[in-house]
Amino acid sequence: MSTVELGDIVVNYRRRGSGQPVVLVHGLAEDLRSWDAVATHLGGFAVHTLDLRGHGGTTSGEADGTLSQLSDDLSAFLRVVTGPAAVIGYSLGGTIGLKAASTPRTLIGHLIAAATSSVVGSAAAEFFARRIAQIETRDWDGFAAGLRDDTARQVVTATDIDAITSKRLDAVGDGRGYINAARAMIGIRSEPLNPRLRQIEVPVDVIGAAGDVFCPRQAADIIVDNVDDCRYHEVAGAGHLLSVDQPDAYGKLLAELLRERCTAA
């Protein structure tokens, strides 16, 4: 593991392999370890996995609960650690990637957004608000039970829900990073990313999961229809937690897409 100071936070990250840089950005209730089974398929690249603000080993700093701040964190990581790079963002991480890719002079050369939404509906916003309230009131039993229920709905082939939930609870830690990121997601209820998608000038690949009830095909279609150079791909036999249900198929698809775009460039 390595750390780097970026503005008001110290970011925990890991680099493995060599070649063109790729940055992997995890989702809510996760940390960099969530990529372990997937990253093994990305040989030939310098793969960087990092903990988002307030997650895992990364400090919270002056967290303001906005997607803009999380996007700025990613842009700073690219600027200081990797230089121009491909970015793979899962769920929350994909939303952060879309925001960062839409900024002028982005260092993202290719974005892969998996199980990602550019807008949050009222039901999702209420879901995030409930989880935030549980952490703020220190209702850890309620939060743990809720996260287990959420996890069970996010998989279609994985069976050891308790073990998966335990890893996710460990990633949540004291909850500050979860609260910050959940507030950022609530923010795109009133300010969707949709108008910004047409500003993205880098190639984008969107990955959906056939059994994803959290980010259904409609969410992917919004992105595909509004980004000029964008393609859709789907992983069979997977729910929202792609890296849990189908790590091999998911990892092989990511490797294929990265190599295609590198060859095209």
Side-chain angles (χ1 to χ4, degrees):
M1 296 293 181
S2 301
T3 59
V4 60
E5 186 173 349
L6 300 175
D8 65 324
I9 59 174
V10 177
V11 175
N12 181 61
Y13 72 97
R14 178 182 178 184
R15 172 179 170 157
R16 67 191 93 185
S18 60
Q20 292 184 294
V22 179
V23 178
L24 278 55
V25 189
H26 63 76
L28 193 64
E30 293 188 330
D31 57 24
L32 59 78
R33 296 172 297 174
S34 66
W35 291 107
D36 286 349
V38 174
T40 59
H41 295 280
L42 304 183
F45 296 94
V47 177
H48 298 73
T49 51
L50 70 154
D51 289 330
L52 292 172
R53 178 182 290 260
H55 293 71
T58 296
T59 59
S60 297
E62 297 297 323
D64 65 9
T66 67
L67 190 65
S68 291
Q69 186 183 56
L70 293 171
S71 170
D72 289 345
D73 292 342
L74 173 58
S75 296
F77 186 84
L78 298 176
R79 187 171 60 252
V80 174
V81 178
T82 66
V87 169
I88 302 171
Y90 162 73
S91 194
L92 163 68
T95 305
I96 294 170
L98 289 171
K99 175 75 169 179
S102 71
T103 60
R105 298 178 296 281
T106 181
L107 291 178
I108 297 176
H110 170 210
L111 174 65
I112 301 176
T116 295
S117 293
S118 57
V119 62
V120 163
S122 58
E126 291 169 3
F127 162 85
F128 291 129
R130 286 195 302 272
R131 295 291 176 261
I132 290 171
Q134 287 173 323
I135 295 175
E136 289 182 330
T137 60
R138 318 309 290 173
D139 179 15
W140 287 110
D141 288 342
F143 180 83
L147 186 63
R148 189 192 188 285
D149 290 343
D150 303 338
T151 300
R153 294 176 60 207
Q154 291 177 19
V155 296
V156 295
T157 61
T159 57
D160 196 345
I161 305 301
D162 288 334
I164 300 167
T165 304
S166 178
K167 290 179 180 178
R168 301 186 77 199
L169 284 170
D170 185 56
V172 169
D174 65 9
R176 286 183 293 176
Y178 185 101
I179 289 174
N180 183 62
R183 284 178 175 156
M185 291 303 291
I186 290 173
I188 64 170
R189 163 73 174 150
S190 57
E191 295 184 25
L193 287 178
N194 298 351
R196 299 184 63 98
L197 296 178
R198 294 195 179 277
Q199 301 174 28
I200 297 176
E201 298 180 349
V202 303
V204 176
D205 285 285
V206 174
I207 296 177
D212 191 346
V213 297
F214 282 70
C215 283
R217 178 63 187 269
Q218 180 182 3
D221 286 343
I222 292 172
I223 301 170
V224 173
D225 291 344
N226 285 281
V227 176
D228 286 342
D229 185 0
C230 191
R231 307 177 299 181
Y232 177 76
H233 317 268
E234 190 165 278
V235 177
H240 190 65
L241 285 171
L242 285 151
S243 62
V244 173
D245 270 336
Q246 298 292 341
D248 293 333
Y250 182 30
K252 289 175 182 177
L253 174 59
L254 292 175
E256 177 184 338
L257 297 177
L258 288 171
R259 293 184 183 118
E260 281 182 5
R261 295 294 192 178
C262 284
T263 301

